[in-house]
Short mmCIF file of all heavy atoms in Angstrom, two decimals:
data_model
loop_
_atom_site.label_atom_id
_atom_site.label_comp_id
_atom_site.label_asym_id
_atom_site.label_seq_id
_atom_site.Cartn_x
_atom_site.Cartn_y
_atom_site.Cartn_z
N ARG A 27 76.42 109.04 136.81
CA ARG A 27 75.23 109.90 136.65
C ARG A 27 74.17 109.10 135.96
O ARG A 27 74.40 108.56 134.86
CB ARG A 27 75.60 111.15 135.85
CG ARG A 27 74.42 112.10 135.72
CD ARG A 27 74.72 113.24 134.75
NE ARG A 27 73.55 114.10 134.60
CZ ARG A 27 73.45 115.30 135.19
NH1 ARG A 27 74.44 115.75 135.91
NH2 ARG A 27 72.33 116.01 135.00
N PHE A 28 72.92 109.05 136.54
CA PHE A 28 71.84 108.31 135.96
C PHE A 28 70.51 109.03 136.20
O PHE A 28 70.45 109.88 137.11
CB PHE A 28 71.75 106.94 136.64
CG PHE A 28 72.96 106.06 136.48
CD1 PHE A 28 73.88 105.97 137.51
CD2 PHE A 28 73.18 105.33 135.33
CE1 PHE A 28 75.02 105.18 137.41
CE2 PHE A 28 74.31 104.53 135.21
CZ PHE A 28 75.23 104.47 136.23
N ALA A 29 69.53 108.65 135.48
CA ALA A 29 68.14 109.00 135.86
C ALA A 29 67.84 108.21 137.10
O ALA A 29 68.15 107.02 137.20
CB ALA A 29 67.15 108.64 134.74
N MET A 30 67.24 108.85 138.10
CA MET A 30 67.06 108.21 139.40
C MET A 30 65.66 108.48 139.93
O MET A 30 64.99 109.41 139.47
CB MET A 30 68.12 108.70 140.38
CG MET A 30 69.55 108.32 139.91
SD MET A 30 70.83 109.12 140.87
CE MET A 30 70.75 108.23 142.41
N ALA A 31 65.30 107.71 140.92
CA ALA A 31 63.95 107.86 141.48
C ALA A 31 63.97 107.39 142.95
O ALA A 31 64.86 106.62 143.34
CB ALA A 31 62.91 107.05 140.70
N ILE A 47 63.79 111.91 138.69
CA ILE A 47 64.48 113.01 138.03
C ILE A 47 65.21 112.47 136.83
O ILE A 47 65.66 111.32 136.79
CB ILE A 47 65.49 113.65 139.05
CG1 ILE A 47 65.99 114.98 138.50
CG2 ILE A 47 66.63 112.70 139.39
CD1 ILE A 47 66.70 115.85 139.54
N SER A 48 65.34 113.31 135.80
CA SER A 48 65.91 112.91 134.53
C SER A 48 67.42 112.81 134.61
O SER A 48 68.06 113.31 135.52
CB SER A 48 65.53 113.91 133.46
OG SER A 48 65.90 115.25 133.84
N TRP A 49 68.00 112.19 133.59
CA TRP A 49 69.46 112.03 133.51
C TRP A 49 70.15 113.34 133.36
O TRP A 49 71.18 113.63 134.02
CB TRP A 49 69.80 111.13 132.31
CG TRP A 49 71.24 110.84 132.11
CD1 TRP A 49 72.04 110.13 133.00
CD2 TRP A 49 72.07 111.21 131.04
NE1 TRP A 49 73.33 110.06 132.49
CE2 TRP A 49 73.36 110.72 131.30
CE3 TRP A 49 71.87 111.95 129.86
CZ2 TRP A 49 74.44 110.92 130.40
CZ3 TRP A 49 72.92 112.15 128.99
CH2 TRP A 49 74.19 111.63 129.26
N VAL A 50 69.64 114.22 132.51
CA VAL A 50 70.19 115.57 132.37
C VAL A 50 69.08 116.58 132.69
O VAL A 50 67.91 116.25 132.65
CB VAL A 50 70.76 115.83 130.96
CG1 VAL A 50 71.93 114.94 130.67
CG2 VAL A 50 69.67 115.70 129.91
N ARG A 68 69.30 117.20 142.17
CA ARG A 68 70.58 116.59 141.94
C ARG A 68 71.66 117.53 142.45
O ARG A 68 71.66 118.72 142.17
CB ARG A 68 70.80 116.32 140.44
CG ARG A 68 71.97 115.45 140.13
CD ARG A 68 72.12 115.27 138.62
NE ARG A 68 71.00 114.57 138.06
CZ ARG A 68 70.89 113.24 137.98
NH1 ARG A 68 71.85 112.48 138.53
NH2 ARG A 68 69.83 112.64 137.44
N ALA A 93 66.57 104.31 143.41
CA ALA A 93 66.77 103.41 142.30
C ALA A 93 67.32 104.14 141.10
O ALA A 93 67.04 105.33 140.88
CB ALA A 93 65.43 102.71 141.95
N VAL A 94 68.08 103.44 140.32
CA VAL A 94 68.73 103.97 139.11
C VAL A 94 68.11 103.32 137.86
O VAL A 94 67.86 102.12 137.87
CB VAL A 94 70.24 103.67 139.15
CG1 VAL A 94 70.88 103.71 137.79
CG2 VAL A 94 70.95 104.59 140.12
N HIS A 95 67.88 104.17 136.84
CA HIS A 95 67.47 103.63 135.55
C HIS A 95 68.66 103.82 134.64
O HIS A 95 68.91 104.89 134.09
CB HIS A 95 66.27 104.40 135.02
CG HIS A 95 65.57 103.70 133.90
ND1 HIS A 95 66.18 103.45 132.69
CD2 HIS A 95 64.32 103.21 133.82
CE1 HIS A 95 65.31 102.85 131.93
NE2 HIS A 95 64.17 102.67 132.59
N SER A 96 69.48 102.75 134.46
CA SER A 96 70.76 102.87 133.82
C SER A 96 70.69 103.08 132.31
O SER A 96 71.65 103.54 131.69
CB SER A 96 71.64 101.66 134.12
OG SER A 96 71.05 100.48 133.57
N SER A 98 68.31 105.08 130.76
CA SER A 98 67.58 106.29 130.40
C SER A 98 68.51 107.46 130.27
O SER A 98 69.23 107.81 131.21
CB SER A 98 66.54 106.58 131.47
OG SER A 98 65.80 107.76 131.14
N LEU A 99 68.50 108.07 129.08
CA LEU A 99 69.35 109.23 128.82
C LEU A 99 68.45 110.43 128.46
O LEU A 99 67.25 110.28 128.34
CB LEU A 99 70.29 108.92 127.67
CG LEU A 99 71.21 107.71 127.83
CD1 LEU A 99 72.07 107.50 126.58
CD2 LEU A 99 72.12 107.91 129.06
N GLY A 100 69.06 111.58 128.34
CA GLY A 100 68.30 112.76 127.92
C GLY A 100 67.42 113.30 129.03
O GLY A 100 67.72 113.13 130.22
N ARG A 102 64.20 112.58 129.55
CA ARG A 102 63.05 111.74 129.95
C ARG A 102 63.11 111.40 131.41
O ARG A 102 64.24 111.20 132.00
CB ARG A 102 63.05 110.48 129.09
CG ARG A 102 61.81 109.63 129.26
CD ARG A 102 61.85 108.49 128.24
NE ARG A 102 62.79 107.47 128.62
CZ ARG A 102 62.47 106.38 129.33
NH1 ARG A 102 61.24 106.22 129.76
NH2 ARG A 102 63.39 105.46 129.59
N VAL A 103 61.97 111.29 132.07
CA VAL A 103 61.87 110.93 133.46
C VAL A 103 61.21 109.55 133.52
O VAL A 103 59.98 109.42 133.48
CB VAL A 103 61.07 111.93 134.30
CG1 VAL A 103 61.09 111.52 135.77
CG2 VAL A 103 61.62 113.34 134.11
N PRO A 104 62.01 108.49 133.58
CA PRO A 104 61.40 107.14 133.65
C PRO A 104 60.71 106.85 134.95
O PRO A 104 61.20 107.21 136.03
CB PRO A 104 62.62 106.22 133.43
CG PRO A 104 63.76 107.01 133.93
CD PRO A 104 63.46 108.45 133.64
N HIS A 108 63.52 100.59 136.56
CA HIS A 108 64.74 100.87 137.32
C HIS A 108 65.44 99.53 137.63
O HIS A 108 64.80 98.58 138.09
CB HIS A 108 64.42 101.64 138.59
CG HIS A 108 63.84 102.98 138.29
ND1 HIS A 108 62.54 103.17 137.90
CD2 HIS A 108 64.41 104.20 138.28
CE1 HIS A 108 62.33 104.47 137.69
NE2 HIS A 108 63.46 105.12 137.91
#
Side-chain angles (χ1 to χ4, degrees):
R27 183 188 178 105
F28 300 99
M30 297 169 73
I47 193 165
S48 55
W49 181 66
V50 296
R68 191 182 296 276
V94 160
H95 195 298
S96 63
S98 180
L99 304 177
R102 189 173 74 93
V103 184
H108 296 78

